[in-house]
Amino acid sequence: MRPHIVKWHGSSSMFLDDPQTIAVSHGVLGRYGGSSAAGADKNEDGVYIWIDAESDLEFVLLLDAHETDESAQLVLSYIDGAISEIAGILRGPIEQCFRNLHDYLLGMLTSERFREDCRGIAGETSCLLCCRREEYLWWFNVGDCLLYLLHPELTALGQTLLNQRNFYEWIGKVNTFDKQVPCYSTGVRELRSGKNVIVLSTDGALEWGPLFLEHMKQLRDAYLEKGVKDFMQMSHERGIKDSVTMIAWQVELGHHPSYPSDGSRQELDARQIELN
């Protein structure tokens, strides 16, 4: 079975006034270019989705550019050209694959060729890379895209957002990887037993205000494709100006032996509440 691949950038199909949702293997991609009545006239987002259901792997890139989408197109082209090497790394020994992926991507982004290509384009992009293998979720983030892990136990403790949004941090004409010390964030999280919903979104979704987090909870509990489709449609009905791109998928895990029993978990939760 061949992996499912989706490549898209906003200038190829803008989705202005036209919210769209498609299934990609067991994932869902939603795109909306914003409301023209509110002033939207372009879409500078981009995505690269690579899902290998046979190997139980997902690798996703989400981009949110400004001025033009040239920076998003540039990052997409580099990732697409390297996907065979990336796939080989992800299928390697799990105790090494995330470290090796980090080193490979950092080598690509700091290469003289990539940095020279960035100097020749207009604008910059936020960049969020995320992959999941077995019960582990890894990410590499530059800028202000959003990564959520939705699970009822974590939501009850107020934990939904995994990454920290970082403003004034970009790839492109202004490029963090041209600095003496590049600035980015990366992390790994272990998924919980049961139903885990992973969501990547550009920050146009935050035009919803506090209602956005409420809808995140609905995505956790509802049929995923319908949840993303409803979010895109309601973004249009609310007259959101900024483009919104969202990628979501679900991972169901059995009980993991390293997790505490229900009683231990309740004690841990109680201590967490006391500390807060």
Side-chain angles (χ1 to χ4, degrees):
M1 182 185 300
R2 295 172 62 87
H4 294 260
I5 297 177
V6 171
K7 297 173 285 186
W8 166 79
H9 58 86
S11 62
S12 63
S13 301
M14 294 192 291
F15 300 105
L16 293 175
D17 303 314
D18 183 26
Q20 295 283 336
T21 305
I22 62 168
V24 184
S25 185
H26 54 279
V28 182
L29 168 63
R31 292 167 288 184
Y32 176 55
S35 167
S36 59
D41 60 1
K42 57 184 177 179
N43 188 331
E44 297 163 333
D45 293 350
V47 298
Y48 191 96
I49 303 173
W50 180 91
I51 296 178
D52 184 352
E54 186 173 355
S55 298
D56 195 28
L57 285 167
E58 300 96 17
F59 175 85
V60 174
L61 166 65
L62 178 62
L63 299 150
D64 185 356
H66 66 260
E67 190 175 344
T68 74
D69 74 345
E70 290 179 12
S71 54
Q73 290 188 55
L74 180 63
V75 177
L76 282 170
S77 69
Y78 269 78
I79 292 297
D80 190 36
I83 194 61
S84 294
E85 289 83 356
I86 291 170
I89 291 170
L90 289 176
R91 292 174 178 138
I94 191 166
E95 63 271 18
Q96 300 172 7
C97 73
F98 298 122
R99 184 184 309 113
N100 291 344
L101 181 58
H102 170 272
D103 292 346
Y104 180 83
L105 291 170
L106 192 60
M108 174 195 298
L109 296 170
T110 57
S111 68
E112 181 56 36
R113 178 189 168 202
F114 179 77
R115 290 185 294 123
E116 183 61 31
D117 284 346
C118 284
R119 296 180 194 120
I121 61 175
E124 295 81 28
T125 187
S126 295
C127 173
L128 174 58
L129 281 153
C130 181
C131 69
R132 195 277 312 178
R133 177 175 170 184
E134 298 180 15
E135 68 267 29
Y136 299 103
L137 184 68
W138 173 93
W139 70 91
F140 184 104
N141 185 54
V142 175
D144 57 4
C145 291
L146 305 155
L147 172 62
Y148 290 88
L149 173 59
L150 307 176
H151 186 282
E153 293 175 345
L154 299 176
T155 303
L157 293 171
Q159 180 178 319
T160 54
L161 184 65
L162 286 186
N163 66 329
Q164 171 70 50
R165 299 175 67 214
N166 291 285
F167 303 103
Y168 310 111
E169 189 176 273
W170 298 295
I171 299 175
K173 188 77 171 181
V174 177
N175 188 4
T176 188
F177 296 105
D178 252 345
K179 298 179 182 293
Q180 284 186 303
V181 180
C183 297
Y184 61 93
S185 58
T186 185
V188 186
R189 286 290 179 272
E190 187 176 17
L191 305 182
R192 301 293 298 168
S193 58
K195 177 182 174 182
N196 297 266
V197 176
I198 301 159
V199 182
L200 288 75
S201 179
T202 57
D203 66 349
L206 297 181
E207 286 194 32
W208 275 60
L211 289 174
F212 177 60
L213 286 179
E214 289 301 314
H215 194 81
M216 286 292 98
K217 295 175 185 176
Q218 293 178 32
L219 281 180
R220 184 197 71 196
D221 298 330
Y223 178 57
L224 196 57
E225 187 169 1
K226 181 180 185 302
V228 175
K229 183 176 182 180
D230 288 348
F231 185 84
M232 293 297 143
Q233 182 60 40
M234 287 187 284
S235 295
H236 176 57
E237 293 171 1
R238 291 173 66 87
I240 285 177
K241 178 181 177 180
D242 197 5
S243 56
V244 183
T245 303
M246 182 178 289
I247 307 152
W249 70 98
Q250 178 181 319
V251 179
E252 189 87 26
L253 294 176
H255 178 70
H256 194 280
S258 70
Y259 296 159
S261 65
D262 289 343
S264 298
R265 183 162 56 238
Q266 289 170 5
E267 290 178 12
L268 288 170
D269 292 351
R271 277 187 284 167
Q272 179 71 35
I273 293 169
E274 287 175 7
L275 288 171
N276 289 339

